[in-house]
Amino acid sequence: MKQCICFFVLCTVLFSCSKQQVNSVAEYSKWINNPDNGLIVTRKINGLKISVKYLPSDYLVYKEMQDDNGAIKNQLDSLKSEYENSITFLMSIGPDEDRGNKNDIMFDGITNYKEYSERLLSLNFEIDKNITLKTGNIELKPVLSALENTYGLSKGRNIVFAFAPTKIEKQEIENSTELDFMYSDDLFQMGLMHFNFTKKDLKNLPLISQWEK
């Protein structure tokens, strides 16, 4: 029995040591944005570039702590508990400048103010209807979507989507090997797009060392 316990402890220590560590939220963000790490999937269609990025719960916790100029330990635990019950993605839609498109997506293909208003309304309040997160027999719709205000500083737009699986759904997601983020686009005539994330990549996340001490 003692040998089994020692082996389990050793495996746990080795696993923790094998986890990559970063020293700041900025480094974590850089890690997430590296396509080689599998947390960001990009498609280019009809002169547009669409990227979907998985936002780990730890990253969201640490970023909020940073925005709040730090938090004490009990606040950290509370934030972790809050974010661990949801799954969050960031979808970015912008011009494919490699193909020569330099237009702001809010005006790309727009001919009058009515069409602009309809696009703005759709991105703000209706796009969540076209989003589905699927794995196995589970299909989830976002419980929250938020369009980031760029104040005219970017030609693209970012939209955050949060999903809230039940305990049973969460268990099935944990047992799955892949998550499929599906976007059925009717704003830019791109059709149905799949952004696939493997569970291996979603689990292979770094630790922020200053909060792990």
Side-chain angles (χ1 to χ4, degrees):
M1 177 63 72
K2 288 184 179 180
Q3 289 179 332
C4 291
I5 294 175
C6 290
F7 177 75
F8 174 77
V9 171
L10 178 61
C11 289
T12 302
V13 171
L14 289 175
F15 175 77
S16 298
C17 292
S18 67
K19 279 276 192 178
Q20 180 177 344
Q21 291 198 351
V22 294
N23 296 316
S24 67
V25 174
E27 286 187 19
Y28 204 135
S29 180
K30 183 178 179 180
W31 194 95
I32 292 173
N33 284 294
N34 183 344
D36 292 339
N37 293 323
L39 298 192
I40 182 167
V41 181
T42 300
R43 303 276 182 264
K44 294 183 178 182
I45 304 174
N46 295 344
L48 295 177
K49 179 180 178 181
I50 304 92
S51 297
V52 175
K53 176 165 53 180
Y54 173 70
L55 299 179
S57 58
D58 279 352
Y59 169 74
L60 295 172
V61 169
Y62 298 141
K63 189 175 186 303
E64 184 165 331
M65 288 177 60
Q66 182 187 57
D67 293 342
D68 289 342
N69 295 318
I72 58 177
K73 185 65 168 62
N74 62 345
Q75 290 175 310
L76 173 60
D77 293 340
S78 176
L79 286 171
K80 281 189 173 184
S81 176
E82 176 183 345
Y83 281 113
E84 282 175 354
N85 292 323
S86 63
I87 304 172
T88 307
F89 290 88
L90 174 70
M91 184 170 75
S92 302
I93 306 177
D96 183 1
E97 298 192 6
D98 292 337
R99 291 293 183 92
N101 183 9
K102 300 183 183 300
N103 298 324
D104 187 311
I105 67 158
M106 295 306 299
F107 304 100
D108 192 41
I110 295 295
T111 60
N112 54 57
Y113 182 75
K114 181 176 181 293
E115 291 178 354
Y116 168 80
S117 297
E118 290 174 349
R119 180 168 294 182
L120 182 63
L121 178 67
S122 294
L123 286 173
N124 267 295
F125 304 110
E126 299 175 353
I127 195 169
D128 57 328
K129 299 175 184 176
N130 297 341
I131 301 294
T132 304
L133 186 63
K134 178 177 172 57
T135 182
N137 297 318
I138 300 295
E139 290 191 6
L140 301 175
K141 303 299 288 186
V143 295
L144 178 141
S145 65
L147 176 69
E148 294 182 358
N149 194 335
T150 63
Y151 301 99
L153 300 177
S154 172
K155 296 175 182 178
R157 296 296 184 275
N158 297 327
I159 310 167
V160 175
F161 297 99
F163 302 84
T166 64
K167 288 184 178 181
I168 295 177
E169 291 170 337
K170 191 172 182 179
Q171 183 176 5
E172 181 160 343
I173 290 172
E174 286 294 324
N175 294 331
S176 67
T177 59
E178 184 177 83
L179 288 181
D180 184 6
F181 183 102
M182 302 162 58
Y183 172 40
S184 180
D185 173 71
D186 55 11
L187 285 175
F188 305 99
Q189 290 74 54
M190 293 183 291
L192 176 63
M193 289 174 286
H194 296 265
F195 300 83
N196 300 104
F197 300 83
T198 68
K199 184 53 67 67
K200 179 182 177 182
D201 288 334
L202 299 186
K203 289 292 187 181
N204 184 34
L205 301 172
L207 302 173
I208 296 185
S209 58
Q210 68 187 90
W211 278 289
E212 298 300 328
K213 293 177 181 179

